[in-house]
């Protein structure tokens, strides 16, 4: 299946809003996309089998219309950069943080040069996948192999603490911070689980796929829009799901080829979907809640077909 055919399938199902859709091509095993102030999109490319340590991963930059402005903005093996298999990313201030196997790397988001490396060897973490930042400037990163969520405090020399650890996290992949309550929310790869972790590190299961409930398979990415609506990607099932605040869920796109670490541009209200094995990605408009328009026309009897109450206008 070519990228173009795959994207058309996605557009037919995701195109529920008037916003235009854009394709991003020439990628190499893209694992995550994030937006920076609605102007720049960063795309993490494994550039080979995900999880390999070959120092050839790269970060691409694209504009809000999906046009690649710098394919190899950050490139492993070039200009003193080490980058093996970049997964999820997060931005704090001028630093672009990237989860890369057993370390989190920091790069200058404007120039692309490396700033720092945060090793996790002491925690025996070798499969860092999800990465997100909260409003207090803390980073959260998931390790799929050890079922652990770590917290990083950049203000304390990037000190690492264990935030939550439990087999119930089901090999956690994508992470996001809920825009309303500030809780860390993530997805489990093994059994399609969606979980929420409160400020005390207590894990709450939001969705658990079972033989009877069905639904999710191998969840990889997660993000929220400005309204607190959650979006998750199911890589093996080829679906993107929308989960509303009341936890009602619906598939808004299916028959996709390996949707991986999705992101949401909250400023432009679009979803960013990388396709791991299709060498491309998609930017697409999202549906807005029906009560989003603050200025509503007052309803009249005519709206209900009862315009006979309206006074007749005299002929002139």
């Amino acid at each position: 299946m070519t990228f173009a055919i795959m994207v058309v399938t996605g557009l037919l199902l995701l195109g529920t809003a008037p916003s235009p859709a854009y394709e991003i091509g020439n990628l190499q095993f893209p694992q995550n996309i994030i937006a920076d102030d609605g102007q720049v999109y960063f795309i993490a490319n494994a550039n080979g089998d995900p999880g390999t340590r070959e120092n050839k991963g790269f970060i691409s930059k694209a504009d809000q219309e999906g046009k690649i402005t710098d394919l190899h903005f950050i490139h492993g093996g070039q200009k003193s950069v080490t980058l093996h298999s970049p997964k999820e990313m997060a931005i704090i201030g001028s630093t672009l943080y990237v989860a890369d196997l057993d370390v989190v790397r920091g790069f200058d988001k404007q120039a692309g040069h490396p700033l720092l490396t945060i090793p996790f060897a002491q925690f025996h973490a070798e499969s860092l996948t999800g990465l997100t930042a909260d409003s207090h400037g803390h980073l959260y990163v998931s390790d799929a192999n050890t079922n652990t969520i770590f917290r990083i405090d950049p203000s304390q020399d990037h000190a690492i603490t264990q935030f939550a650890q439990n087999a119930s996290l089901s090999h956690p992949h994508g992470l996001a911070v809920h825009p309303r309550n500030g809780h860390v929310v993530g997805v489990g790869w093994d059994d399609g689980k969606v979980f929420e972790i409160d400020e005390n590190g207590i894990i709450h299961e939001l969705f658990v796929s079972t033989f009877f409930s069905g639904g999710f398979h191998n969840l990889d990415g997660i993000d929220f829009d400005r309204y607190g609506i959650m979006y998750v990607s199911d890589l093996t099932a080829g679906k993107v799901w929308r989960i509303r605040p009341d936890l009602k869920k619906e598939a808004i796109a299916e028959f996709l080829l390996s949707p991986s670490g999705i992101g949401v541009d909250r400023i432009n209200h679009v979803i960013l979907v990388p396709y791991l094995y299709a060498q491309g990605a998609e930017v697409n408009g999202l549906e807005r809640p029906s009560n989003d328009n603050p200025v509503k026309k007052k309803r009249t009897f005519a709206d209900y077909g009862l315009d006979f109450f309206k006074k007749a206008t005299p002929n002139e």
Side-chain angles (χ1 to χ4, degrees), residues 17-307:
S19 302
Y22 304 102
E23 301 175 15
I24 305 176
N26 299 318
L27 304 176
Q28 294 294 325
F29 299 92
Q31 299 195 94
N32 183 227
I33 306 181
I34 62 169
D36 184 20
D37 292 330
Q39 298 293 323
V40 176
Y41 300 149
F42 293 101
I43 309 167
N45 296 263
N47 195 19
D49 290 335
T52 57
R53 196 178 296 272
E54 299 178 342
N55 195 24
K56 62 179 184 179
F58 63 91
I59 309 294
S60 303
K61 286 178 67 174
D63 63 19
Q64 61 183 345
E65 293 185 349
K67 179 182 178 182
I68 293 289
T69 57
D70 194 337
L71 182 62
H72 298 107
F73 172 60
I74 301 170
H75 196 179
Q78 305 291 325
K79 299 180 180 179
S80 302
V81 171
T82 299
L83 192 62
H84 298 297
S85 183
K87 185 63 174 168
E88 287 203 349
M89 300 171 287
I91 297 172
I92 297 180
S94 61
T95 302
L96 172 68
Y97 292 92
V98 184
D100 186 19
L101 299 181
D102 57 352
V103 303
V104 171
R105 306 187 191 278
F107 300 91
D108 185 297
K109 73 173 187 178
Q110 299 294 340
H113 59 254
L115 298 175
L116 56 96
T117 299
I118 309 170
F120 281 75
Q122 68 271 35
F123 299 101
H124 306 287
E126 298 181 351
S127 184
L128 300 180
T129 53
L131 184 65
T132 190
D134 67 15
S135 60
H136 303 291
H138 297 120
L139 290 165
Y140 297 86
V141 59
S142 62
D143 179 56
N145 287 351
T146 63
N147 286 308
T148 306
I149 310 296
F150 298 97
R151 178 164 52 195
I152 303 171
D153 188 349
S155 68
Q156 299 296 322
D157 197 25
H158 292 89
I160 306 170
T161 55
Q162 182 177 294
F163 184 58
Q165 182 179 45
N166 197 290
S168 66
L169 294 176
S170 303
H171 292 187
H173 273 217
L175 295 179
V177 171
H178 197 296
R180 300 294 173 85
N181 61 24
H183 292 173
V184 175
V185 184
V187 293
W189 175 263
D190 273 4
D191 53 9
K193 181 176 296 181
V194 182
F195 57 84
E196 182 173 354
I197 308 176
D198 64 24
E199 59 275 6
N200 298 313
I202 305 301
I203 301 169
H204 306 271
E205 295 180 346
L206 302 182
F207 286 96
V208 181
S209 292
T210 67
F211 175 80
F212 298 100
S213 65
F216 305 137
H217 293 80
N218 299 120
L219 297 182
D220 192 46
I222 178 173
D223 206 352
F224 290 86
D225 65 19
R226 72 178 74 167
Y227 307 102
I229 298 173
M230 184 193 311
Y231 300 85
V232 299
S233 58
D234 192 326
L235 190 143
T236 55
K239 295 182 179 182
V240 173
W241 294 83
R242 173 169 50 214
I243 303 175
R244 301 185 185 276
D246 60 4
L247 297 184
K248 291 184 178 180
K249 61 184 175 68
E250 58 182 324
I252 60 171
E254 53 188 353
F255 310 113
L256 306 176
L257 184 60
S258 61
S260 48
I262 59 174
V264 173
D265 176 355
R266 296 179 189 174
I267 293 178
N268 296 304
H269 199 57
V270 296
I271 191 168
L272 317 170
V273 186
Y275 297 99
L276 183 63
Y277 298 117
Q279 300 185 357
E282 181 178 4
V283 180
N284 212 305
L286 288 170
E287 181 183 61
R288 297 178 185 272
S290 58
N291 61 352
D292 182 43
N293 185 5
V295 180
K296 293 184 178 181
K297 179 183 176 182
K298 186 176 180 179
R299 292 196 173 194
T300 67
F301 287 115
D303 293 318
Y304 302 95
L306 303 176
D307 52 352

